[in-house]
Amino acid sequence: MAEKTAPKLSAEPPRGMRDILPDEAEMRDATAAAILDVYRQYGFRRVETPALEHIQLLTHGEGGENEKLIYKILKRGAKLDLASARSEMDLVDLGLRFDLTVPLVRYYANNHADLPRPLKAVQIGPVWRAERQQKGRYRQFTQCDIDILGMQSGVAEVELILATTDALTALGLRRLTVRINDRRLLAAMAHHCGFEQSRFDSVFIALDKLDKIDWSGVEKELMQAGHPPAAIGQLGRLIARFGPQGAAPGDLGVMGKDLGAHQDEEARQALEMIIQTLRGEATGSWVITFDPTLVRGMSYYTGPIFEIKSDDFPASIAGGGRYDKLIGKLLGKDVPATGFSIGFERVVSLLMDRQGLRGRRQKRVALIFEERKDDLATVLAAARALRTDGFAVSVELRAKNLGGQLDTLSRHGFDGFALFDGTGQSRLRWFADQEHRDE
Amino acid sequence: MAEKTAPKLSAEPPRGMRDILPDEAEMRDATAAAILDVYRQYGFRRVETPALEHIQLLTHGEGGENEKLIYKILKRGAKLDLASARSEMDLVDLGLRFDLTVPLVRYYANNHADLPRPLKAVQIGPVWRAERQQKGRYRQFTQCDIDILGMQSGVAEVELILATTDALTALGLRRLTVRINDRRLLAAMAHHCGFEQSRFDSVFIALDKLDKIDWSGVEKELMQAGHPPAAIGQLGRLIARFGPQGAAPGDLGVMGKDLGAHQDEEARQALEMIIQTLRGEATGSWVITFDPTLVRGMSYYTGPIFEIKSDDFPASIAGGGRYDKLIGKLLGKDVPATGFSIGFERVVSLLMDRQGLRGRRQKRVALIFEERKDDLATVLAAARALRTDGFAVSVELRAKNLGGQLDTLSRHGFDGFALFDGTGQSRLRWFADQEHRDE
């Protein structure tokens, strides 16, 4: 066999992944810090799991479509037996996590004796999905989740939603709408309309697209899937009356009566409590609304489901719900659980667009000197004094082309500079004043 | 073929990795924030690269032993051809990074047009190495690096060392010793002693163990490796005179003269400037010393090398050096570069031992109420007021066994609690006062 030539090294990151430049990296840091700060105020505790998990856990069936997108890790050393491997799964033992929920469930099972109960957990970190490439979507991205494990009461949902609206408000986001529904009410509605119980999932998947394709599109999809026309018609009437654009939007009580014998009274009361409490708490920056058409993707949800939209962004910027059966399915013992996940990448992109959080950052100053002319100790003392005054200070060697150097510093976000003149003297000037143009 | 039974799901994290409990996770957050804060004050900019890199970059030869420890990622979809794969490398296209230096070099090459020059970069994040298991060492761990790319002057080393001693001091660490040497002086010393140039690496590897096995151990190892006894004897005399326990320890000037024609005068002057400047800057919490026996592991170092030891910890807690040729080797064009890496895991373990940084944390309070007896809106209003006063507040449902609940809250780090009594009244009490024992 001819020997292959060594491939030329590429400076590009792997396909679908990206390098983050300093301005965005600092915005991400500030965003994460602000969110964590609010969640800590609400009593959420930081939890960390490794990026890698056993491949059996990741492919157990609770991750839905995400399980097809796992980056899998080759076995190492003697465990790797290439000759006898018949399938991919013979070659791998670990995978990169595709979300923070499945690892949290394992973490809870592994550490529950050392954890408070209920556990109020906050996680932030990267997840990986080998998705088809799409504009603005990357194969490594950051998730930020809070979860309450071990609390059956709707107080958990109230806390999740309050903490998250507070966190988004702290980031400067306004005009937020919390939409809420309950998987049990969705089921009651489908029952009432006359859909076949074994095919509810297909009804919900179509309904989930209401935002994008309107009722006419949903109706068409339900017809094509062969659902009974009478059931589809009944669903259409309910949505016209109670849906987001309906005549009595958000009227949970009336809708409950409409569903008659099919209504889940316990679910309705729990949801009513959550909505009423949150209506009382809502600040000027957000409102809450009952939306009987809200579905949320994951199949593991069992109770209240919710998401947050901003008038400034087309998609939802946070989503979550109750998943009381997931821990039992994966690890044998049911624990009530509910969680809320902020779309960290979307929030950062919103903030980058509006230059949000910028006002808070430290002023950045360059101290420029000549190595042979200026005394380094003097320069360092000046830097230390400015740092004590709260500035971020970078010591920089004077370039041959000073004008070009100043332009570059300004372009890279420096707010000002001081130039040493060989006598130990310097004066701080601001680029905003454009004084350096006189140099 | 008989079908295999599905493996039982384990709640354990992957071998060699670990779950991080809330107390430590919060200490890690606070430590990272304090370090980043100091580095930002010094003008370092945050840089982020993906966790995954092309396998060709990671296995190019600059990672030394670490290249044997890479977690490799199986190719996906049509790219994976199991039938024709002859070796591991046919199956994989990506790997998890084993350090932050190799990715930074690629990042610089990929983005240099959009980056300041010199680039002062700070990175913090996990790296992965499939190492043999050892107590206290994990296969995923966090590194925290600063690097200055594009600056030839020793001012870069001065900045790296000042910023890092400041960061460690900000964490409350004291009694720090910065040891510094230069790879070119090591080479001059080996030349002067009469070792064979092609075998310098073997000399340095033995010398690197001086701390652990003393000179007698190093001498033995050099003899066994077949180095000339005269050269070994000469090296022993130099170390007895200038080494850390020597008669004239750290006397760079005198040693420079001793090396005669072999001395690298440019290197000596550069190192002298760095040491003299830093002696002037050293605060009460750290000192700097020239150590001609300091080697540092990585083969890519080309100039000054340095590390920091704490009197409270056996191993070094930070290390780094100049690597002017690495960017050229990987990507074709030389760029002067030097970096310093804090052993984040060691620092966190030091701080955990001494309960460091604890004093700074927010007081944590539990508001305990009964869902049927107390008005939730009243409880939430009390929580909001306490948060405004700077407390972290968790709303908790009253357990049947209140005494047990209070004990558990105290054990999980709550500082106090307030109990609602059905009338909307509550009073904040501190566990430190042990008042709840009267309940």
Side-chain angles (χ1 to χ4, degrees), chain B residues 361-421:
Chain B
R361 79 171 176 78
Q362 247 177 341
K363 287 253 184 286
R364 292 176 51 220
V365 169
L367 291 193
I368 304 170
F369 74 107
E370 285 183 75
E371 209 170 353
R372 279 154 207 219
K373 227 174 77 184
D374 297 297
D375 174 45
L376 181 52
T378 307
V379 176
L380 293 175
R384 190 172 291 273
L386 283 168
R387 285 180 194 125
T388 306
D389 288 346
F391 296 102
V393 183
S394 185
V395 168
E396 303 275 340
L397 293 173
R398 181 169 175 151
K400 277 177 201 145
N401 174 1
L402 179 64
Q405 184 178 19
L406 294 177
D407 284 346
T408 306
L409 289 170
S410 170
R411 187 157 51 81
H412 284 295
F414 279 90
D415 300 286
F417 68 99
L419 203 60
F420 282 84
D421 64 359

